[in-house]
Amino acid sequence: MKLINHHLLLLSVIILSSCNAKKEVKSISLKDSYKNDFYIGTALSKDQIEEKNAKEDSLIKKEFNAITAENIMKSMFIHPAKDKYDFTLSDKFVAYGEKNKMFIHGHTLIWHSQLAPWMGKIKDSTEMKAFMKDHITTIVSKYKGRVDSWDVVNEALNEDGTLRKSIFLNTLGEKYLVDAFKLAAAADPKVDLYYNDYNNEEPAKREGNINLIKKIKAGGGKIDGVGIQAHWKLNYPSLDEIEKSILAYSALGVKVAFTELDISVLPNPKDLNGADVNQNFEGDTKMNPYPKTLPDSVQVKLAERYASIFKLFLKHKDKISRVTFWGVHDGQSWLNDWPIKGRTNYPLLFDKDLKPKKAYYDVIKQNDIK
């Protein structure tokens, strides 16, 4: 009888331990781990916005509490003709965020790339002013009180910190920057307004970005934050430069967001410049060393890199508003096709089968040991 009771007790302990383990695993998520620190976001594709894959949808809802539209709010999609807006997908995107009680970030209002063809034909300053006023006012007003923050201007700087010779600068001069932020603030005075760029954690571009923020403020524009895209590599940029950037931008009185985080594990051409989507390079097999799977040794390096980055983020969590990954899983990453098409990259925390990688657990762990 005692033996039977002992077995029953042992069985009860095993079952209870198993249930507790399941509860513990279920409770692990990025958004819960960092809920007291900053938003954890992801960029959503068209299919994800439309909830076409139930497994992906479940993962998104479990792990993230902030969303950015990867493409559908860019001007070529949302404003395809001068007198035509298409809000079909952006409406679904905003509704998705509201339904799941997520922070909703709008990306992007003014950007020289992915313009609708008709926009590229604007030559006259009067016509450009009219376009900017209509475009910004229409979009921001439509989602007033529903979108939490906007990238008002995207990638307006060269690598040396000077202003990019875009269609906006060419027709309006640098005043277009102040005007864009003024127009967005007029359309929704309460929404947070960001300037967003890549490589703006590097010294020269950072200095240019600091000057840009100061000019916008001096001109009467409302700017609440700076977005650092964070398309990074296993050993670049240095944590020191990232930290200097957090401190420098925060000192201006603006929030810092890491808006498009991913870490490439692949070699790139020597003349690769930043994250310009218009660049593309032909490559050989040396440029695609892991076509099937990522070696354990590189998985470890990726995990270590992510862990060190999030350790730094936690150190400065009072200055950081949001950390958003550029994609949900490796299979959808833009880095599979840029700067060389057809490669297999592994830059995110979930693999193409939606399984968490070692990097995922190491990012979670940072908050346990802080």
Side-chain angles (χ1 to χ4, degrees), residues 32-260:
D32 289 341
S33 293
Y34 287 86
K35 64 183 178 183
N36 297 321
D37 307 311
F38 37 72
Y39 286 106
I40 296 286
T42 188
L44 300 184
S45 67
K46 175 182 178 293
D47 285 351
Q48 289 163 345
I49 291 166
E50 296 186 317
E51 302 178 66
K52 289 188 175 180
N53 183 312
K55 192 176 177 183
E56 281 189 12
D57 192 52
S58 177
L59 179 68
I60 292 163
K61 291 171 181 175
K62 175 179 178 287
E63 298 292 341
F64 304 103
N65 54 16
I67 52 172
T68 300
E70 189 176 24
N71 274 303
I72 57 96
M73 292 183 113
K74 292 171 182 173
S75 61
M76 67 184 290
F77 299 107
I78 206 169
H79 197 174
K82 186 174 182 179
D83 300 316
K84 179 187 176 184
Y85 286 90
D86 185 350
F87 293 115
T88 307
L89 286 169
S90 56
D91 282 349
K92 290 180 180 180
F93 167 73
V94 173
Y96 183 96
E98 289 175 333
K99 178 177 68 173
N100 295 297
K101 297 180 173 56
M102 294 169 161
F103 183 94
I104 303 168
H105 181 70
H107 175 77
T108 173
L109 296 170
I110 298 297
W111 187 30
H112 67 276
S113 188
Q114 290 187 256
L115 294 168
W118 71 272
M119 296 174 189
K121 297 175 183 176
I122 298 174
K123 306 292 183 188
D124 177 71
S125 61
T126 303
E127 190 180 356
M128 181 59 79
K129 278 185 182 178
F131 156 72
M132 278 185 52
K133 183 175 182 180
D134 179 69
H135 184 80
I136 294 173
T137 304
T138 300
I139 297 170
V140 177
S141 296
K142 177 173 173 57
Y143 296 113
K144 181 179 180 181
R146 299 177 68 196
V147 166
D148 297 293
S149 60
W150 282 100
D151 285 333
V152 178
V153 179
N154 197 51
E155 300 176 4
L157 295 170
N158 295 312
E159 295 304 290
D160 63 359
T162 59
L163 289 176
R164 182 192 293 272
K165 299 290 185 185
S166 68
I167 189 172
F168 305 105
L169 185 69
N170 292 342
T171 55
L172 296 175
E174 64 181 63
K175 191 175 181 294
Y176 87 88
L177 294 157
V178 176
D179 289 345
F181 280 88
K182 283 184 175 179
L183 287 165
D188 187 350
K190 293 182 179 180
V191 74
D192 275 358
L193 305 178
Y194 279 73
Y195 172 76
N196 189 56
D197 214 327
Y198 60 84
N199 288 358
N200 52 342
E201 71 284 341
E202 289 300 305
K205 200 165 187 178
R206 178 172 64 226
E207 199 58 37
N209 202 157
I210 289 169
N211 292 334
L212 183 151
I213 292 168
K214 287 179 177 178
K215 285 181 180 178
I216 291 169
K217 286 191 168 191
K222 174 182 179 285
I223 179 167
D224 302 287
V226 60
I228 298 173
Q229 289 184 15
H231 295 298
W232 293 336
K233 300 176 180 65
L234 287 174
N235 55 4
Y236 185 85
S238 70
L239 293 175
D240 184 52
E241 292 301 343
I242 297 169
E243 184 168 36
K244 285 179 181 176
S245 300
I246 295 170
L247 295 171
Y249 292 133
S250 180
L252 298 174
V254 297
K255 301 172 186 178
V256 179
F258 293 90
T259 57
E260 304 180 19

